[in-house]
Short mmCIF file of all heavy atoms in Angstrom, two decimals:
data_model
loop_
_atom_site.label_atom_id
_atom_site.label_comp_id
_atom_site.label_asym_id
_atom_site.label_seq_id
_atom_site.Cartn_x
_atom_site.Cartn_y
_atom_site.Cartn_z
N MET A 1 48.71 49.04 159.40
CA MET A 1 47.67 48.12 158.92
C MET A 1 47.35 47.09 160.01
O MET A 1 48.20 46.31 160.39
CB MET A 1 48.18 47.41 157.67
CG MET A 1 47.05 46.80 156.87
SD MET A 1 45.98 48.04 156.16
CE MET A 1 47.08 48.73 154.92
N PRO A 2 46.13 47.13 160.52
CA PRO A 2 45.81 46.25 161.66
C PRO A 2 45.53 44.80 161.24
O PRO A 2 44.40 44.36 161.16
CB PRO A 2 44.56 46.90 162.25
CG PRO A 2 43.90 47.55 161.08
CD PRO A 2 45.01 47.96 160.15
N ILE A 3 46.58 44.08 160.95
CA ILE A 3 46.42 42.66 160.63
C ILE A 3 46.68 41.84 161.88
O ILE A 3 47.72 41.98 162.51
CB ILE A 3 47.39 42.23 159.53
CG1 ILE A 3 47.15 43.04 158.26
CG2 ILE A 3 47.21 40.74 159.23
CD1 ILE A 3 48.10 42.67 157.13
N PHE A 4 45.70 41.02 162.23
CA PHE A 4 45.84 40.19 163.41
C PHE A 4 45.71 38.73 163.03
O PHE A 4 45.13 38.39 162.00
CB PHE A 4 44.77 40.54 164.45
CG PHE A 4 44.90 41.95 164.95
CD1 PHE A 4 44.03 42.93 164.54
CD2 PHE A 4 45.91 42.28 165.84
CE1 PHE A 4 44.14 44.23 165.00
CE2 PHE A 4 46.04 43.58 166.31
CZ PHE A 4 45.15 44.55 165.89
N GLU A 5 46.23 37.89 163.89
CA GLU A 5 46.14 36.46 163.65
C GLU A 5 45.08 35.87 164.58
O GLU A 5 45.03 36.18 165.77
CB GLU A 5 47.48 35.80 163.90
CG GLU A 5 47.48 34.33 163.49
CD GLU A 5 48.89 33.74 163.53
OE1 GLU A 5 49.80 34.39 164.03
OE2 GLU A 5 49.04 32.61 163.05
N TYR A 6 44.23 35.05 164.00
CA TYR A 6 43.16 34.42 164.75
C TYR A 6 43.22 32.92 164.58
O TYR A 6 43.80 32.40 163.61
CB TYR A 6 41.80 34.93 164.28
CG TYR A 6 41.51 36.34 164.72
CD1 TYR A 6 41.99 37.42 163.99
CD2 TYR A 6 40.76 36.59 165.86
CE1 TYR A 6 41.74 38.71 164.40
CE2 TYR A 6 40.50 37.88 166.27
CZ TYR A 6 40.98 38.94 165.53
OH TYR A 6 40.73 40.21 165.94
N PHE A 7 42.55 32.25 165.50
CA PHE A 7 42.44 30.79 165.40
C PHE A 7 40.97 30.42 165.37
O PHE A 7 40.18 30.86 166.22
CB PHE A 7 43.12 30.13 166.60
CG PHE A 7 42.89 28.64 166.67
CD1 PHE A 7 43.57 27.79 165.82
CD2 PHE A 7 42.00 28.11 167.57
CE1 PHE A 7 43.36 26.42 165.88
CE2 PHE A 7 41.78 26.74 167.65
CZ PHE A 7 42.47 25.90 166.79
N CYS A 8 40.58 29.63 164.38
CA CYS A 8 39.21 29.16 164.29
C CYS A 8 39.13 27.73 164.82
O CYS A 8 39.70 26.82 164.23
CB CYS A 8 38.72 29.20 162.84
SG CYS A 8 37.06 28.52 162.65
N PRO A 9 38.44 27.52 165.93
CA PRO A 9 38.33 26.17 166.50
C PRO A 9 37.48 25.25 165.63
O PRO A 9 37.59 24.03 165.72
CB PRO A 9 37.67 26.41 167.87
CG PRO A 9 36.99 27.72 167.76
CD PRO A 9 37.77 28.53 166.77
N THR A 10 36.63 25.81 164.81
CA THR A 10 35.82 24.99 163.92
C THR A 10 36.67 24.36 162.82
O THR A 10 36.58 23.17 162.55
CB THR A 10 34.71 25.83 163.29
OG1 THR A 10 33.97 26.48 164.32
CG2 THR A 10 33.77 24.95 162.48
N CYS A 11 37.50 25.17 162.21
CA CYS A 11 38.38 24.68 161.15
C CYS A 11 39.68 24.12 161.73
O CYS A 11 40.41 23.43 161.04
CB CYS A 11 38.72 25.81 160.18
SG CYS A 11 37.30 26.55 159.39
N GLU A 12 39.97 24.51 162.96
CA GLU A 12 41.27 24.22 163.56
C GLU A 12 42.39 24.78 162.71
O GLU A 12 43.40 24.13 162.45
CB GLU A 12 41.44 22.72 163.80
CG GLU A 12 40.44 22.16 164.78
CD GLU A 12 40.69 20.69 165.10
OE1 GLU A 12 41.30 20.01 164.26
OE2 GLU A 12 40.28 20.25 166.17
N LYS A 13 42.16 25.98 162.25
CA LYS A 13 43.15 26.65 161.42
C LYS A 13 43.41 28.06 161.94
O LYS A 13 42.51 28.71 162.49
CB LYS A 13 42.63 26.76 159.97
CG LYS A 13 42.46 25.43 159.27
CD LYS A 13 43.81 24.83 158.89
CE LYS A 13 43.63 23.58 158.06
NZ LYS A 13 44.92 22.98 157.68
N ASN A 14 44.63 28.47 161.74
CA ASN A 14 44.94 29.87 161.99
C ASN A 14 44.72 30.67 160.72
O ASN A 14 44.90 30.18 159.62
CB ASN A 14 46.41 30.01 162.42
CG ASN A 14 46.64 29.48 163.82
OD1 ASN A 14 45.79 28.81 164.38
ND2 ASN A 14 47.79 29.76 164.37
N PHE A 15 44.33 31.92 160.91
CA PHE A 15 44.23 32.78 159.75
C PHE A 15 44.56 34.21 160.15
O PHE A 15 44.40 34.60 161.30
CB PHE A 15 42.85 32.70 159.10
CG PHE A 15 41.72 33.15 160.01
CD1 PHE A 15 41.27 34.46 159.96
CD2 PHE A 15 41.12 32.26 160.88
CE1 PHE A 15 40.24 34.88 160.78
CE2 PHE A 15 40.08 32.67 161.70
CZ PHE A 15 39.64 33.99 161.65
N GLU A 16 45.00 34.95 159.17
CA GLU A 16 45.30 36.35 159.40
C GLU A 16 44.26 37.19 158.71
O GLU A 16 43.82 36.89 157.61
CB GLU A 16 46.69 36.69 158.84
CG GLU A 16 47.78 35.87 159.50
CD GLU A 16 49.04 35.88 158.65
OE1 GLU A 16 49.12 36.68 157.70
OE2 GLU A 16 49.92 35.08 158.93
N ILE A 17 43.82 38.23 159.38
CA ILE A 17 42.75 39.03 158.81
C ILE A 17 42.91 40.48 159.22
O ILE A 17 43.42 40.78 160.30
CB ILE A 17 41.38 38.47 159.25
CG1 ILE A 17 40.25 39.06 158.44
CG2 ILE A 17 41.14 38.71 160.74
CD1 ILE A 17 38.93 38.33 158.66
N LEU A 18 42.49 41.34 158.35
CA LEU A 18 42.46 42.76 158.67
C LEU A 18 41.27 43.05 159.56
O LEU A 18 40.15 42.69 159.23
CB LEU A 18 42.33 43.59 157.38
CG LEU A 18 43.61 43.78 156.57
CD1 LEU A 18 43.25 44.36 155.21
CD2 LEU A 18 44.56 44.70 157.28
N VAL A 19 41.51 43.68 160.67
CA VAL A 19 40.42 44.00 161.58
C VAL A 19 40.50 45.47 161.95
O VAL A 19 41.51 45.95 162.43
CB VAL A 19 40.50 43.15 162.87
CG1 VAL A 19 39.40 43.56 163.84
CG2 VAL A 19 40.38 41.68 162.54
N PHE A 20 39.41 46.15 161.69
CA PHE A 20 39.34 47.54 162.07
C PHE A 20 38.53 47.67 163.35
O PHE A 20 37.93 46.70 163.83
CB PHE A 20 38.72 48.36 160.93
CG PHE A 20 39.56 48.33 159.68
CD1 PHE A 20 39.28 47.43 158.68
CD2 PHE A 20 40.64 49.18 159.55
CE1 PHE A 20 40.06 47.38 157.54
CE2 PHE A 20 41.44 49.15 158.42
CZ PHE A 20 41.14 48.24 157.40
N GLY A 21 38.50 48.85 163.88
CA GLY A 21 37.99 49.07 165.23
C GLY A 21 36.62 48.50 165.50
O GLY A 21 36.38 47.91 166.55
N ASN A 22 35.69 48.65 164.58
CA ASN A 22 34.32 48.23 164.86
C ASN A 22 33.92 46.99 164.07
O ASN A 22 32.76 46.71 163.90
CB ASN A 22 33.36 49.39 164.55
CG ASN A 22 33.49 49.88 163.11
OD1 ASN A 22 34.37 49.43 162.39
ND2 ASN A 22 32.64 50.79 162.70
N GLU A 23 34.90 46.26 163.58
CA GLU A 23 34.58 45.07 162.81
C GLU A 23 34.78 43.82 163.65
O GLU A 23 35.67 43.75 164.48
CB GLU A 23 35.46 44.99 161.57
CG GLU A 23 35.07 46.02 160.52
CD GLU A 23 35.86 45.78 159.25
OE1 GLU A 23 36.61 44.79 159.17
OE2 GLU A 23 35.71 46.58 158.32
N LYS A 24 33.95 42.84 163.39
CA LYS A 24 34.10 41.54 164.04
C LYS A 24 34.81 40.60 163.08
O LYS A 24 34.40 40.46 161.93
CB LYS A 24 32.73 40.95 164.38
CG LYS A 24 31.90 41.82 165.30
CD LYS A 24 32.41 41.74 166.74
CE LYS A 24 31.44 42.50 167.64
NZ LYS A 24 31.84 42.42 169.05
N PRO A 25 35.85 39.96 163.53
CA PRO A 25 36.55 39.02 162.67
C PRO A 25 35.72 37.76 162.44
O PRO A 25 35.08 37.25 163.37
CB PRO A 25 37.83 38.72 163.45
CG PRO A 25 37.46 38.94 164.88
CD PRO A 25 36.46 40.07 164.87
N VAL A 26 35.72 37.31 161.21
CA VAL A 26 35.05 36.06 160.89
C VAL A 26 36.04 35.14 160.19
O VAL A 26 36.94 35.60 159.51
CB VAL A 26 33.81 36.27 159.98
CG1 VAL A 26 32.75 37.07 160.71
CG2 VAL A 26 34.20 36.93 158.68
N CYS A 27 35.84 33.86 160.37
CA CYS A 27 36.71 32.89 159.72
C CYS A 27 36.48 32.92 158.22
O CYS A 27 35.34 32.83 157.76
CB CYS A 27 36.43 31.50 160.28
SG CYS A 27 37.36 30.22 159.43
N PRO A 28 37.53 33.07 157.42
CA PRO A 28 37.38 33.11 155.97
C PRO A 28 36.98 31.76 155.38
O PRO A 28 36.57 31.69 154.23
CB PRO A 28 38.77 33.54 155.48
CG PRO A 28 39.70 33.13 156.57
CD PRO A 28 38.91 33.26 157.86
N ARG A 29 37.09 30.72 156.16
CA ARG A 29 36.72 29.39 155.66
C ARG A 29 35.26 29.07 155.93
O ARG A 29 34.52 28.67 155.04
CB ARG A 29 37.61 28.33 156.31
CG ARG A 29 39.03 28.33 155.79
CD ARG A 29 39.88 27.38 156.62
NE ARG A 29 41.20 27.21 156.05
CZ ARG A 29 41.52 26.18 155.27
NH1 ARG A 29 40.66 25.26 154.99
NH2 ARG A 29 42.73 26.09 154.77
N CYS A 30 34.86 29.21 157.20
CA CYS A 30 33.53 28.76 157.59
C CYS A 30 32.63 29.91 158.03
O CYS A 30 31.50 29.69 158.44
CB CYS A 30 33.63 27.71 158.69
SG CYS A 30 34.23 28.38 160.26
N GLN A 31 33.16 31.12 157.96
CA GLN A 31 32.40 32.32 158.31
C GLN A 31 32.01 32.36 159.79
O GLN A 31 31.15 33.12 160.19
CB GLN A 31 31.12 32.45 157.46
CG GLN A 31 31.35 32.26 155.97
CD GLN A 31 32.33 33.26 155.40
OE1 GLN A 31 32.24 34.44 155.69
NE2 GLN A 31 33.29 32.80 154.61
N SER A 32 32.65 31.54 160.58
CA SER A 32 32.33 31.53 162.01
C SER A 32 32.88 32.77 162.69
O SER A 32 33.96 33.25 162.37
CB SER A 32 32.93 30.28 162.66
OG SER A 32 32.74 30.33 164.07
N ARG A 33 32.10 33.27 163.62
CA ARG A 33 32.58 34.41 164.39
C ARG A 33 33.22 33.98 165.70
O ARG A 33 33.72 34.80 166.45
CB ARG A 33 31.42 35.36 164.69
CG ARG A 33 30.91 36.06 163.45
CD ARG A 33 29.70 36.92 163.77
NE ARG A 33 29.19 37.59 162.58
CZ ARG A 33 29.57 38.81 162.21
NH1 ARG A 33 30.41 39.49 162.95
NH2 ARG A 33 29.09 39.36 161.12
N LYS A 34 33.15 32.68 165.96
CA LYS A 34 33.74 32.17 167.20
C LYS A 34 35.22 31.90 166.98
O LYS A 34 35.66 30.76 166.89
CB LYS A 34 33.02 30.90 167.64
CG LYS A 34 31.55 31.15 167.96
CD LYS A 34 30.88 29.84 168.35
CE LYS A 34 29.40 30.08 168.66
NZ LYS A 34 28.70 28.81 168.98
N VAL A 35 35.96 32.97 166.85
CA VAL A 35 37.38 32.84 166.61
C VAL A 35 38.14 33.44 167.78
O VAL A 35 37.66 34.34 168.46
CB VAL A 35 37.79 33.52 165.30
CG1 VAL A 35 37.15 32.81 164.11
CG2 VAL A 35 37.43 35.00 165.30
N LYS A 36 39.31 32.91 167.97
CA LYS A 36 40.14 33.38 169.07
C LYS A 36 41.26 34.25 168.53
O LYS A 36 41.94 33.88 167.57
CB LYS A 36 40.75 32.19 169.82
CG LYS A 36 39.71 31.37 170.57
CD LYS A 36 40.39 30.26 171.35
CE LYS A 36 39.37 29.46 172.14
NZ LYS A 36 40.03 28.39 172.94
N LYS A 37 41.43 35.37 169.17
CA LYS A 37 42.52 36.25 168.76
C LYS A 37 43.82 35.77 169.37
O LYS A 37 43.90 35.48 170.56
CB LYS A 37 42.22 37.68 169.23
CG LYS A 37 43.26 38.68 168.77
CD LYS A 37 42.88 40.06 169.25
CE LYS A 37 43.89 41.09 168.77
NZ LYS A 37 43.55 42.44 169.26
N LEU A 38 44.81 35.67 168.51
CA LEU A 38 46.12 35.25 168.99
C LEU A 38 46.96 36.48 169.31
O LEU A 38 46.76 37.56 168.77
CB LEU A 38 46.82 34.39 167.93
CG LEU A 38 46.04 33.13 167.54
CD1 LEU A 38 46.84 32.34 166.50
CD2 LEU A 38 45.76 32.26 168.75
N LEU A 39 47.88 36.28 170.20
CA LEU A 39 48.69 37.40 170.65
C LEU A 39 49.71 37.83 169.62
O LEU A 39 50.12 38.97 169.58
CB LEU A 39 49.40 37.04 171.95
CG LEU A 39 48.47 36.84 173.16
CD1 LEU A 39 49.27 36.46 174.38
CD2 LEU A 39 47.67 38.10 173.43
N SER A 40 50.10 36.90 168.78
CA SER A 40 51.13 37.22 167.81
C SER A 40 50.54 38.04 166.68
O SER A 40 49.87 37.53 165.80
CB SER A 40 51.76 35.94 167.27
OG SER A 40 50.76 35.14 166.67
N THR A 41 50.77 39.31 166.72
CA THR A 41 50.28 40.16 165.64
C THR A 41 51.23 40.06 164.46
O THR A 41 52.43 39.95 164.61
CB THR A 41 50.18 41.62 166.09
OG1 THR A 41 51.44 42.04 166.58
CG2 THR A 41 49.13 41.76 167.17
N VAL A 42 50.65 40.10 163.30
CA VAL A 42 51.43 39.99 162.08
C VAL A 42 51.59 41.38 161.48
O VAL A 42 50.62 42.05 161.19
CB VAL A 42 50.75 39.06 161.07
CG1 VAL A 42 51.60 38.96 159.82
CG2 VAL A 42 50.54 37.69 161.69
N SER A 43 52.79 41.76 161.33
CA SER A 43 53.03 43.07 160.72
C SER A 43 53.00 42.94 159.20
O SER A 43 52.58 41.92 158.66
CB SER A 43 54.36 43.64 161.20
OG SER A 43 55.39 42.75 160.90
N HIS A 44 53.49 43.90 158.55
CA HIS A 44 53.36 43.97 157.11
C HIS A 44 53.95 42.75 156.40
O HIS A 44 55.14 42.50 156.46
CB HIS A 44 54.04 45.23 156.59
CG HIS A 44 53.46 46.48 157.15
ND1 HIS A 44 52.45 47.18 156.53
CD2 HIS A 44 53.71 47.13 158.29
CE1 HIS A 44 52.14 48.20 157.27
NE2 HIS A 44 52.87 48.22 158.36
N LYS A 45 53.07 42.03 155.75
CA LYS A 45 53.54 40.96 154.89
C LYS A 45 53.38 41.42 153.45
O LYS A 45 52.28 41.45 152.91
CB LYS A 45 52.71 39.69 155.11
CG LYS A 45 53.28 38.76 156.15
CD LYS A 45 52.57 37.42 156.11
CE LYS A 45 53.22 36.42 157.04
NZ LYS A 45 52.53 35.12 156.99
N SER A 46 54.45 41.79 152.86
CA SER A 46 54.37 42.38 151.53
C SER A 46 54.86 41.42 150.46
O SER A 46 55.33 41.83 149.42
CB SER A 46 55.18 43.68 151.48
OG SER A 46 56.52 43.41 151.84
N ASP A 47 54.72 40.13 150.73
CA ASP A 47 55.21 39.17 149.75
C ASP A 47 54.39 39.17 148.48
O ASP A 47 54.87 38.97 147.40
CB ASP A 47 55.26 37.76 150.35
CG ASP A 47 53.98 37.40 151.06
OD1 ASP A 47 53.87 37.73 152.24
OD2 ASP A 47 53.10 36.79 150.43
N SER A 48 53.07 39.43 148.63
CA SER A 48 52.23 39.49 147.45
C SER A 48 51.81 40.93 147.13
O SER A 48 51.23 41.19 146.10
CB SER A 48 50.99 38.62 147.60
OG SER A 48 50.28 38.98 148.75
N GLY A 49 52.06 41.82 148.05
CA GLY A 49 51.86 43.23 147.75
C GLY A 49 50.46 43.73 147.96
O GLY A 49 50.21 44.92 147.81
N PHE A 50 49.54 42.86 148.33
CA PHE A 50 48.15 43.32 148.41
C PHE A 50 47.88 44.15 149.65
O PHE A 50 46.89 44.85 149.73
CB PHE A 50 47.18 42.14 148.33
CG PHE A 50 47.28 41.19 149.49
CD1 PHE A 50 46.65 41.47 150.69
CD2 PHE A 50 47.99 40.01 149.36
CE1 PHE A 50 46.75 40.58 151.75
CE2 PHE A 50 48.09 39.12 150.41
CZ PHE A 50 47.47 39.43 151.62
N THR A 51 48.76 44.08 150.63
CA THR A 51 48.52 44.83 151.86
C THR A 51 48.83 46.31 151.67
O THR A 51 48.40 47.12 152.45
CB THR A 51 49.40 44.28 153.00
OG1 THR A 51 50.75 44.33 152.60
CG2 THR A 51 49.01 42.85 153.33
N SER A 52 49.57 46.63 150.63
CA SER A 52 49.97 48.01 150.48
C SER A 52 49.07 48.76 149.51
O SER A 52 49.15 49.96 149.39
CB SER A 52 51.42 48.08 149.99
OG SER A 52 51.54 47.41 148.75
N SER A 53 48.21 48.04 148.80
CA SER A 53 47.37 48.69 147.81
C SER A 53 46.15 49.33 148.46
O SER A 53 45.95 50.53 148.42
CB SER A 53 46.93 47.71 146.74
OG SER A 53 46.22 46.62 147.32
N GLN A 54 45.34 48.50 149.13
CA GLN A 54 44.15 49.02 149.77
C GLN A 54 44.00 48.39 151.15
O GLN A 54 44.62 47.39 151.45
CB GLN A 54 42.90 48.70 148.94
CG GLN A 54 42.84 49.52 147.66
CD GLN A 54 41.55 49.23 146.90
OE1 GLN A 54 40.82 48.30 147.24
NE2 GLN A 54 41.29 50.02 145.89
N GLY A 55 43.14 48.97 151.95
CA GLY A 55 42.95 48.45 153.29
C GLY A 55 41.86 47.40 153.36
O GLY A 55 41.53 46.92 154.42
N SER A 56 41.28 47.06 152.23
CA SER A 56 40.14 46.15 152.25
C SER A 56 40.46 44.79 151.65
O SER A 56 39.58 43.99 151.46
CB SER A 56 38.95 46.78 151.51
OG SER A 56 39.32 47.05 150.19
N ALA A 57 41.70 44.58 151.32
CA ALA A 57 42.06 43.29 150.76
C ALA A 57 42.00 42.21 151.82
O ALA A 57 42.43 42.41 152.93
CB ALA A 57 43.46 43.35 150.17
N CYS A 58 41.46 41.09 151.49
CA CYS A 58 41.36 40.01 152.46
C CYS A 58 42.56 39.08 152.30
O CYS A 58 43.26 39.11 151.30
CB CYS A 58 40.05 39.25 152.33
SG CYS A 58 40.05 37.90 151.17
N SER A 59 42.76 38.29 153.32
CA SER A 59 43.98 37.50 153.36
C SER A 59 43.89 36.24 152.51
O SER A 59 44.88 35.61 152.23
CB SER A 59 44.32 37.11 154.80
OG SER A 59 43.23 36.43 155.37
N SER A 60 42.67 35.88 152.11
CA SER A 60 42.53 34.63 151.37
C SER A 60 42.32 34.85 149.88
O SER A 60 42.23 33.93 149.12
CB SER A 60 41.37 33.81 151.94
OG SER A 60 40.19 34.56 151.91
N CYS A 61 42.21 36.08 149.48
CA CYS A 61 42.11 36.37 148.06
C CYS A 61 42.82 37.66 147.77
O CYS A 61 43.22 38.38 148.67
CB CYS A 61 40.66 36.44 147.59
SG CYS A 61 39.84 37.95 148.12
N SER A 62 42.97 38.01 146.53
CA SER A 62 43.70 39.22 146.18
C SER A 62 42.81 40.23 145.47
O SER A 62 43.29 41.19 144.91
CB SER A 62 44.89 38.87 145.28
OG SER A 62 44.44 38.20 144.13
N SER A 63 41.52 39.98 145.48
CA SER A 63 40.64 40.86 144.74
C SER A 63 40.31 42.13 145.52
O SER A 63 40.05 43.15 144.95
CB SER A 63 39.35 40.14 144.38
OG SER A 63 38.64 39.81 145.55
N GLY A 64 40.33 42.05 146.83
CA GLY A 64 40.05 43.23 147.63
C GLY A 64 38.60 43.35 148.04
O GLY A 64 38.27 44.01 149.00
N SER A 65 37.72 42.69 147.30
CA SER A 65 36.31 42.68 147.71
C SER A 65 35.68 41.36 147.32
O SER A 65 35.54 41.05 146.15
CB SER A 65 35.55 43.84 147.07
OG SER A 65 35.57 43.70 145.67
N CYS A 66 35.38 40.56 148.32
CA CYS A 66 34.76 39.28 148.06
C CYS A 66 33.88 38.93 149.25
O CYS A 66 33.79 39.69 150.21
CB CYS A 66 35.80 38.19 147.84
SG CYS A 66 36.76 37.83 149.32
N SER A 67 33.24 37.80 149.22
CA SER A 67 32.31 37.44 150.27
C SER A 67 33.02 37.21 151.59
O SER A 67 32.45 37.42 152.65
CB SER A 67 31.54 36.18 149.88
OG SER A 67 32.44 35.14 149.62
N THR A 68 34.26 36.80 151.53
CA THR A 68 35.00 36.55 152.76
C THR A 68 35.53 37.84 153.36
O THR A 68 35.72 37.93 154.55
CB THR A 68 36.16 35.58 152.52
OG1 THR A 68 36.97 36.08 151.49
CG2 THR A 68 35.64 34.21 152.17
N CYS A 69 35.76 38.82 152.52
CA CYS A 69 36.21 40.11 153.05
C CYS A 69 35.08 40.78 153.79
O CYS A 69 35.25 41.34 154.86
CB CYS A 69 36.65 41.04 151.93
SG CYS A 69 38.05 40.47 151.02
N GLY A 70 33.89 40.76 153.19
CA GLY A 70 32.78 41.48 153.77
C GLY A 70 32.97 42.98 153.73
O GLY A 70 32.38 43.70 154.50
N SER A 71 33.80 43.43 152.83
CA SER A 71 34.13 44.85 152.80
C SER A 71 32.96 45.67 152.25
O SER A 71 32.88 46.86 152.47
CB SER A 71 35.36 45.09 151.94
OG SER A 71 35.12 44.68 150.62
N SER A 72 32.06 45.02 151.53
CA SER A 72 30.96 45.76 150.95
C SER A 72 29.69 45.68 151.79
O SER A 72 28.68 46.21 151.44
CB SER A 72 30.66 45.23 149.54
OG SER A 72 30.32 43.88 149.59
N SER A 73 29.77 44.97 152.93
CA SER A 73 28.61 44.88 153.80
C SER A 73 28.51 46.13 154.64
O SER A 73 29.38 46.38 155.45
CB SER A 73 28.71 43.64 154.68
OG SER A 73 29.82 43.76 155.54
N SER A 74 27.49 46.88 154.40
CA SER A 74 27.30 48.19 155.00
C SER A 74 27.88 48.29 156.40
O SER A 74 27.18 48.24 157.36
CB SER A 74 25.81 48.55 155.04
OG SER A 74 25.13 47.62 155.83
ZN1 LIG B 1 36.57 28.42 160.39
#
């Protein structure tokens, strides 16, 4: 599961997000695309279990499809 950690300079927050090969990471808070990829990759965090159900779950919610996930955007 390609979960990477990013830093948003706008929010000054770190966030973890699922990123696939042709997707651009966006900040789940401000939707900014100007995010920096951090070197520390986060492996499986199964504390809430959402990472093992589907590949489209976002890190800030547990629904699997929301505006921050962008999973339904063609
Ligand atoms: Zn942000």
Side-chain angles (χ1 to χ4, degrees):
M1 198 67 70
I3 301 179
F4 296 105
E5 187 171 10
Y6 287 84
F7 173 75
C8 176
T10 306
C11 300
E12 297 185 336
K13 295 286 186 180
N14 288 12
F15 62 94
E16 299 162 12
I17 193 169
L18 281 168
V19 177
F20 297 96
N22 57 354
E23 288 187 5
K24 301 284 187 178
V26 295
C27 175
R29 287 172 172 263
C30 68
Q31 312 300 314
S32 174
R33 291 176 180 267
K34 297 178 181 178
V35 295
K36 292 183 178 182
K37 184 179 181 181
L38 301 181
L39 293 179
S40 59
T41 56
V42 180
S43 57
H44 300 267
K45 269 191 174 180
S46 57
D47 48 274
S48 56
F50 65 81
T51 57
S52 59
S53 59
Q54 289 183 350
S56 59
C58 88
S59 56
S60 57
C61 74
S62 58
S63 65
S65 62
C66 67
S67 58
T68 55
C69 296
S71 61
S72 59
S73 65
S74 62

